[in-house]
Amino acid sequence: MSAAAPLAAAATAAPETVPGRGRRPGAGLSLGPALGLVPFLVFIGIFLVIPTITVVVGAFQAESGGFSLEKIRALGEGTPLRALRESVILSFTSAAVGAVLGALLAYLVVTAPPTSVMRRAVTAVCGVLAQFGGVTLAFAWMATLGFGGLLTSVLADLFGASETGASWLYELPGLILVYSYFQIPLMVIVFMPALEGLRPQWREAAVNLGATTRQYWLQVAFPLLRPAFLGSALLLFANAFAAYATAAALVNQGAPITPLLIRSALTSEIVLGQANFGYALALEMVVVVAIVMSLYAWLLRRTSRWLS
Amino acid sequence: MTGGRVWRVVRWLLLAVFAVFFLLPLVALLDFSTKVPRTGERTGEAWRGLLEDPAMTEAITTSLLLSLLTVVGMVVLLVPTMVWVRLRVPRASRLVEFLCLLPLTIPALVIVVGIKNVYAWVDYLMGDSALTLTFVYVVLVLPYAYRSIDAALSSIDSRTLSEAARSLGAGWLTVIVRVISPNIWTGVLSAAFISVALVLGEYTVSSLLNYDTLPVVIVALGKSDAPQSMAAALASILFAAALLVVLSFLDRRRRTPGGSR
């Protein structure tokens, strides 16, 4: 073994010294090429890493400077805790609704012929709705169910519902509805590759062994799709938890969820120390999203074992 | 088989329900933006107002300029770096990927909370203009841009290409600009389209840093002139849709072997 090690080292080092490779001898070891990354690293450092560090440090700092757990402790008080709970309920519900309905829609799309107009239309619409900003979606639902909205007047005519529109639209149930409007398309986009990876041969094999359709789904397809489904649902959860624009455009006053509480912490200068409390709230948000995204990455690795 | 027929009916019913759910709010936007409140007459007033209201035209210009600058910044920052990593410092590829995907884990809202100090310097050095938002936007579009450029880079043999060019006497700049870039342009283009769509709809950063971009103005207008803000919302989503449809066509061309290229 001791003799093999230098040999292996020589073998890996050899290409670096071959002139035809376009490298100067020993270039792989010198700092020269790494300098090419400096502009990128500096940019990311200033506009992504420094703000993040500011948030983390600020969350552990007292008003007068110095280390303090005071703001972290304040996260456990009534208002922030209630906002976190509502945020989790909103993210969880909209992720669950989005995951189930999105998976259903993805299945309807995948079973259509690949060239069909329906398939193309659904993918295009989903791409737009999942990626485009939340303000528009909030406005679309206000035009539907808000004051003078399309559905409001129809409902008022048909069932004598209130003409001023649904007030629940501007509270948690409304947020769940509007969030689902971008969660379902996102689910279609992230879950469709997994459904497409379900090989027809597996079904044939199951049927050849005497399985019924029901058995195939319960014992082959669902277990195979489970990691991909859970992973996508986690992504939806993180997406909803991090979303801000839709809720901000829909809810003008009050702060039922964490992102809106951060807004009021940033914009209000009435309560002393509120501005810096934003750091602690932001840190809380990063922690939640980071946990969820790590779980997502882990499940994604498990998925790629079968369905890729 | 009756089971098959039942399933076909159920299938179309379900698709119809989804279609209504997704299209109804957009129809409602159109309805609201063309209706005179109270009387219920139809009018194109709100849509005309989009181009006549100075605040609105200014916001549209700002947002379009911002998306242009963001695309330029993204390309200038990302393309040379990613090509360089592939050709010269492959050991750094995991680091660059991690940094590029980081904005998915650090929400835009968190970046806004922490960026006050950085922006104090940006404003000091470059003046207090909405266009300085470009810096944050480049960060926000990184994950999407990274993925499409990475896919394009993976589909070509960049190493052989660059070796061939180098052995013919080309410098690294020539390799990146004239050899690799033309081969990954569909990837760069799709990154650009997604960036434009993202920037046009971006509200979190611009509203909290108090810059008047299109979504910020739409929300502000929602309180005074609802129909016009609805018209602007619908117009912006249709514009983004058009962009992404163009993108999907580009995507298809790249995937079909022996296409037009």
Side-chain angles (χ1 to χ4, degrees), chain A residues 18-307:
Chain A
V18 176
R21 283 251 148 189
R23 289 180 174 208
R24 271 159 275 121
L29 298 170
S30 79
L31 264 175
L35 283 179
L37 299 183
V38 167
F40 174 78
L41 293 178
V42 168
F43 188 88
I44 297 290
I46 294 177
F47 292 101
L48 182 61
V49 178
I50 290 183
T52 311
I53 293 175
T54 311
V55 166
V56 177
V57 171
F60 291 100
Q61 225 165 32
E63 279 335 299
S64 52
F67 178 83
S68 153
L69 280 178
E70 166 193 338
K71 289 193 201 103
I72 303 292
R73 236 175 269 132
L75 285 178
E77 278 165 23
T79 316
L81 212 56
R82 207 172 314 124
L84 178 65
R85 203 188 60 214
E86 303 274 282
S87 253
V88 170
I89 292 175
L90 167 62
S91 310
F92 184 84
T93 319
S94 72
V97 170
V100 171
L101 293 180
L104 177 64
L105 182 55
Y107 177 73
L108 293 178
V109 172
V110 164
T111 46
T115 48
S116 76
V117 180
M118 185 275 277
R119 185 169 181 153
R120 261 189 236 167
V122 173
T123 355
V125 170
C126 285
V128 175
L129 293 181
Q131 287 177 16
F132 198 60
V135 167
T136 328
L137 304 187
F139 272 70
W141 281 100
M142 281 190 238
T144 312
L145 284 169
F147 178 68
L150 187 61
L151 208 54
T152 310
S153 42
V154 172
L155 289 178
D157 287 349
L158 287 182
F159 307 106
S162 152
E163 291 229 19
T164 51
S167 68
W168 56 265
L169 182 63
Y170 305 95
E171 288 153 17
L172 198 62
L175 284 176
I176 292 173
L177 173 71
V178 181
Y179 274 37
S180 302
Y181 194 70
F182 61 75
Q183 296 276 55
I184 297 174
L186 183 64
M187 183 68 181
V188 171
I189 291 172
V190 294
F191 191 59
M192 212 147 74
L195 272 180
E196 278 171 339
L198 215 55
R199 307 231 187 298
Q201 289 91 326
W202 294 339
R203 182 174 201 148
E204 287 158 14
V207 171
N208 274 342
L209 291 170
T212 59
T213 307
R214 190 185 140 84
Q215 274 174 324
Y216 162 73
W217 276 106
L218 285 181
Q219 293 176 11
V220 180
F222 282 148
L224 275 170
L225 289 172
R226 200 185 300 127
F229 180 82
L230 290 177
S232 310
L234 282 173
L235 187 73
L236 261 56
F237 182 94
N239 184 48
F241 198 84
Y244 167 81
T246 311
L250 205 57
V251 182
N252 288 321
Q253 277 153 2
I257 57 174
T258 305
L260 296 185
L261 196 61
I262 294 181
R263 168 176 74 177
S264 55
L266 280 181
T267 49
S268 97
E269 284 159 18
I270 310 156
V271 189
L272 195 71
Q274 272 286 294
N276 287 330
F277 185 52
Y279 289 132
L281 286 169
L283 179 65
E284 177 184 83
M285 204 165 166
V286 175
V287 170
V288 173
V289 176
I291 292 173
V292 172
M293 289 301 278
S294 327
L295 279 172
Y296 166 69
W298 177 71
L299 277 169
L300 204 64
R301 267 202 302 281
R302 290 196 43 168
T303 312
S304 58
R305 212 182 293 161
W306 281 96
L307 310 157

Side-chain angles (χ1 to χ4, degrees), chain B residues 66-126:
Chain B
L66 265 173
S67 44
L68 180 72
L69 286 175
T70 305
V71 167
V72 172
M74 179 272 291
V75 170
V76 168
L77 189 73
L78 211 50
V79 173
T81 305
M82 289 180 67
V83 174
W84 193 251
V85 165
R86 247 166 214 270
L87 297 180
R88 300 300 307 276
V89 261
R91 271 177 307 171
S93 63
R94 295 302 295 269
L95 174 74
V96 171
E97 182 182 7
F98 174 77
L99 288 174
C100 283
L101 298 184
L102 206 54
L104 292 180
T105 310
I106 301 175
L109 187 54
V110 173
I111 299 179
V112 178
V113 174
I115 211 159
K116 280 274 158 61
N117 294 333
V118 172
Y119 259 72
W121 277 100
V122 168
D123 289 347
Y124 175 72
L125 293 172
M126 313 192 67

Side-chain angles (χ1 to χ4, degrees), chain B residues 124-144:
Chain B
Y124 175 72
L125 293 172
M126 313 192 67
D128 185 17
S129 151
L131 298 182
T132 53
L133 282 171
T134 304
F135 296 115
V136 193
Y137 286 176
V138 169
V139 168
L140 294 187
V141 303
L142 270 184
Y144 310 95

